[in-house]
Amino acid sequence: MGAVLVNTRDNPSFDPVGIIRAKRDGLAWSPSQIRQLMENYLAGTFAEEQMAALLMAVVWRGMAFDELAVWTEAMISSGRRIDLDLLGRPTVDKHSTGGVGDKVSLILVPLVAAFGAVVPQMSGRGLGHTGGTLDKMDAIPGWRSDLSPEEVVGVLSEVGCVITAASTEIVPADRRLYALRDITATVESIPLIVSSIMSKKVAEGTKSLLLDVKVGTGAFMADLAEARRLAQTMVEVGEAHGVRTAAMLTAMDTPLGSAVGNALEVQEAIDVLSGAGPDDLRDLVVAEAEVMLGLAGIEGDPGEALHDGRALQRFEAMVRAQGGDPHAPLPQGRKLATVRADRSGVLCRLDALAVGMASLRLGAGRSRPGEQVSMTAGITCEVKPGQSVTAGQPILALWGDDPSRVGDAEEALAGAIEVGDSPPTLPPPVLERLGC
Ligand code: URA
């Protein structure tokens, strides 16, 4: 994976600049160098700006599989591991590599738990132009993600599912690296994505896992071969840690569902949990739920549990158990602008990356450390590719509280929409499956 030369100099005294230089120059780290740098980073003796430089070197040089295994292990060991064996029930989780409008976890976690599986989801915040499950759930008044390991186990034994964050106790290394990668353009790297996701999944204690590896313009892997390599690497790391791991490669060229942005996406997730919502989103949720139930050894019809209210009940119970009020009104922004079709025809392209960037610029994501995200900012897609439009018909609505952001958001949307004469060939939602 990129690095070819081996740096045999294994210096027991910590040399932060030498470690960065080694990766910059394409050398592989020794296991003790990796452990040292992670320990020093957590202790504050490997500075944030040094880690930023090192992450950029990893983006360019990659890591050999052995380095990745030690790096991931060091991240897991940065905190505690949760033991879920005492719950005596099958455990299964899912993680997405990140997309635009990807609110699947909000629906899938309670849906699978409604069949008796334990779903201990440790999620992330927005990363780059993609939204994060935790930022979305934060739109629910009172809801808390910062649970202690004991609270996680408590919620799981009461409700069967939880959505929680890496914390100072569980994978603190990912909590810090994730935030740093978000603002230093160091997200798009197979070893950094693999270690970020798999450290959380191993530490949370799940015994089986479905990975949703997004492919397309709105994903961190635009190329199918790269996405396949990412999926295979995560499956290998999962299996090496005794986690039964499967992966689906799913299309991310256009936003998933209709809503992009934190509170907007929670509302759409609740719509699907109530038996409604957009078809593309519901179909993907059902396909992923079927695989997760298979991994957990449970039989059931996920579509039915979306219609009969079982999944919604479980979602509300989870929100309550985490301090939230599932019936409190969600924050609502104003419609700030509308993007319209410039001609009649068929919508051929609605670019996921552009919509994700525009949503971020409206305030739904971060571009500076510690920036507060807006719960109300975002975009609704009034039309999806393949549908007919007439000239002047609204295609996108831009939402939020800050009209001064609209100009930048509209700039991000330049060239994102294409209306043509004949229907586009749309990719199937699930492109490939590994170990499902
Ligand atoms: N999700 C994560 O948790 N980490 C990544 O790096 C990408 C997606």
Side-chain angles (χ1 to χ4, degrees), residues 215 251-254 346-350 384-387 418-429 431:
V215 192
M252 184 33 72
D253 289 305
T254 205
V346 182
L347 183 62
C348 293
R349 200 168 62 84
L350 177 57
K384 294 290 293 277
Q387 293 177 339
E418 204 180 299
V419 177
D421 294 319
S422 41
T425 311
L426 300 174
L431 304 169

Side-chain angles (χ1 to χ4, degrees), residues 128-151:
H129 64 278
T130 68
T133 299
L134 300 175
D135 290 333
K136 294 169 200 183
M137 290 295 289
D138 273 349
I140 301 172
W143 183 83
R144 283 177 51 223
S145 62
D146 58 336
L147 306 182
S148 68
E150 289 71 25
E151 285 177 307

Side-chain angles (χ1 to χ4, degrees), residues 95-99 122-125 127 130 174 178 181 186-201 220 230:
H95 202 94
S96 160
T97 55
M122 191 172 296
S123 275
R125 300 206 168 271
L127 206 48
T130 68
D174 185 59
Y178 196 94
R181 288 168 60 215
T186 52
V187 175
E188 296 91 339
S189 152
I190 289 183
L192 297 181
I193 296 174
V194 171
S195 55
S196 166
I197 293 179
M198 298 312 292
S199 61
K200 290 194 280 282
K201 301 294 116 175
F220 295 123
L230 172 62

Side-chain angles (χ1 to χ4, degrees), residues 319-379:
V319 167
R320 258 186 243 106
Q322 295 187 231
D325 177 355
H327 299 297
L330 292 168
Q332 239 191 331
R334 283 180 293 145
K335 193 188 276 191
L336 301 174
T338 304
V339 179
R340 297 174 188 277
D342 58 3
R343 54 163 285 195
S344 298
V346 182
L347 183 62
C348 293
R349 200 168 62 84
L350 177 57
D351 183 64
L353 174 61
V355 174
M357 280 309 301
S359 175
L360 186 152
R361 290 184 182 182
L362 286 168
R366 300 170 186 79
S367 46
R368 285 188 300 281
E371 196 175 351
Q372 194 76 26
V373 297
S374 160
M375 289 298 113
T376 61
I379 293 180

